[in-house]
Amino acid sequence: MSSLAHTPSPALRALSIQIVALVFIVLLQRLDVLAGLPLLGLAALQGALAGMLAAAFKAASWWLPIHLFFMPALVLGSGLGLPAWVWASGTGLLLLFYWTVFRTRVPLFLSNRKTVETLAEALPEGALRVLDIGSGTGSFVRHFAQLRPESQIAGIETAPGPAWLARLLARRLPNAQLVRGDFFATEWTGFDVVYAFLSPAPMQAVWDKARAEMRPGAVLVSNSFPIPEIETDGVLTVSDRRKTHLYCYTIPAAGARPDAHAHKIWPSRQAGRKSRL
């Protein structure tokens, strides 16, 4: 199975870019090239330089505003005169919800109701076992559990803050199970559907694990992020504001080509209701 462990960390690259830009601005200031420029102006120049370096090194587009505004925001925040406990509390809260982003490269994405309804309607009738990997605050799990009470749905989330909140919000749903853990270290065997709303970074590793552990005919559904070079069995378009796409992949039989799917989703169950996949 592919691993993300050996890929360079975007967070480490971002930190390096910030340091290089900061050192360059400090050197210019020491050489009196930027004499008279206020601290906020120096911070803005550092942000602009960091943004240009990030673009030159082909960083993901969402890193650019972070580079541009990180140092100016730091300078502005330091002038607010807030007590130390406010900063410590804010940092702790961010760590509870986002501390795994630097390792997994998966931000906190929440599935809206339209998305859950579209998938729940597309899947065949009958009791299904569904797993939401990277379940966040459990928005997908809770709504799916309500729409399909005959099914069992589990969610697994790495970050402690969202995982705790998810368990709290789903405590009254008997067919929903939410745990904190690493979804790559969890067995996906026995699940009929694995749902992912992650990022482009781990999708190849997700597909490799799905092929290795899920049974032929089971389905991997990826919200918004297709698996590179793998043909889908269908794409569901959600009628929400962003026109969300759900990329659906049937797990092929052992020995089949990666892009050759064995058969459509649960053919034995389609007599009850034909799937739209």
Side-chain angles (χ1 to χ4, degrees), residues 34-104:
L34 303 175
L37 198 64
L39 183 59
L40 185 57
L42 292 172
L45 279 179
Q46 188 273 350
L49 178 58
M52 288 188 290
L53 288 173
F57 283 100
K58 299 181 179 180
S61 58
W62 57 272
W63 276 107
L64 300 184
I66 295 177
H67 283 296
L68 285 170
F69 297 113
F70 175 75
M71 193 59 69
L74 196 63
V75 170
L76 288 172
S78 65
L80 295 177
L82 296 175
W85 68 266
V86 174
W87 297 107
S89 299
T91 301
L93 189 62
L94 287 173
L95 287 174
L96 280 174
F97 279 82
Y98 296 104
W99 75 323
T100 59
V101 171
F102 297 115
R103 178 174 61 86
T104 63

Side-chain angles (χ1 to χ4, degrees), residues 23-261:
V23 169
F24 187 75
I25 295 299
V26 169
L27 286 175
L28 290 180
Q29 200 270 340
R30 292 289 179 88
L31 293 172
D32 291 332
V33 176
L34 303 175
L37 198 64
L39 183 59
L40 185 57
L42 292 172
L45 279 179
Q46 188 273 350
L49 178 58
M52 288 188 290
L53 288 173
F57 283 100
K58 299 181 179 180
S61 58
W62 57 272
W63 276 107
L64 300 184
I66 295 177
H67 283 296
L68 285 170
F69 297 113
F70 175 75
M71 193 59 69
L74 196 63
V75 170
L76 288 172
S78 65
L80 295 177
L82 296 175
W85 68 266
V86 174
W87 297 107
S89 299
T91 301
L93 189 62
L94 287 173
L95 287 174
L96 280 174
F97 279 82
Y98 296 104
W99 75 323
T100 59
V101 171
F102 297 115
R103 178 174 61 86
T104 63
R105 292 180 282 169
V106 177
L108 178 61
F109 290 132
L110 303 180
S111 300
N112 60 45
R113 285 180 170 266
K114 282 281 189 183
T115 296
V116 185
E117 291 164 4
T118 299
L119 182 59
E121 174 63 24
L123 294 173
E125 288 181 343
L128 303 174
R129 292 195 65 209
V130 181
L131 173 65
D132 180 5
I133 56 175
S135 51
T137 60
S139 57
F140 177 89
V141 171
R142 292 195 308 276
H143 195 38
F144 193 96
Q146 293 167 343
L147 292 172
R148 301 291 297 266
E150 79 285 359
S151 297
Q152 293 293 320
I153 178 164
I156 183 166
E157 169 60 39
T158 307
W164 175 83
L165 184 59
R167 288 197 299 270
L168 178 66
L169 295 175
R171 66 189 185 280
R172 299 184 186 277
L173 294 171
N175 60 331
Q177 179 186 17
L178 287 144
V179 298
R180 183 189 168 208
D182 181 355
F183 57 78
F184 278 120
T186 302
E187 288 288 333
W188 299 359
T189 305
F191 287 102
D192 301 306
V193 181
V194 169
Y195 171 82
F197 190 8
L198 303 173
S199 78
M203 290 314 301
Q204 183 60 56
V206 167
W207 175 242
D208 291 343
K209 182 174 176 66
R211 287 201 70 203
E213 296 182 0
M214 296 177 71
R215 65 171 179 80
V219 171
L220 172 66
V221 179
S222 177
N223 185 327
S224 302
F225 307 111
I227 300 167
E229 300 181 4
I230 301 297
E231 184 179 353
T232 70
D233 285 312
V235 180
L236 299 174
T237 301
V238 181
S239 60
D240 58 359
R241 184 171 56 185
R242 59 187 291 264
K243 299 299 179 185
T244 298
H245 287 86
L246 301 178
Y247 299 91
C248 306
Y249 303 86
T250 304
I251 305 303
R257 300 190 316 274
D259 59 346
H261 301 303

Side-chain angles (χ1 to χ4, degrees), residues 256-269:
R257 300 190 316 274
D259 59 346
H261 301 303
H263 49 265
K264 287 295 181 181
I265 176 172
W266 302 296
S268 62
R269 300 190 182 191

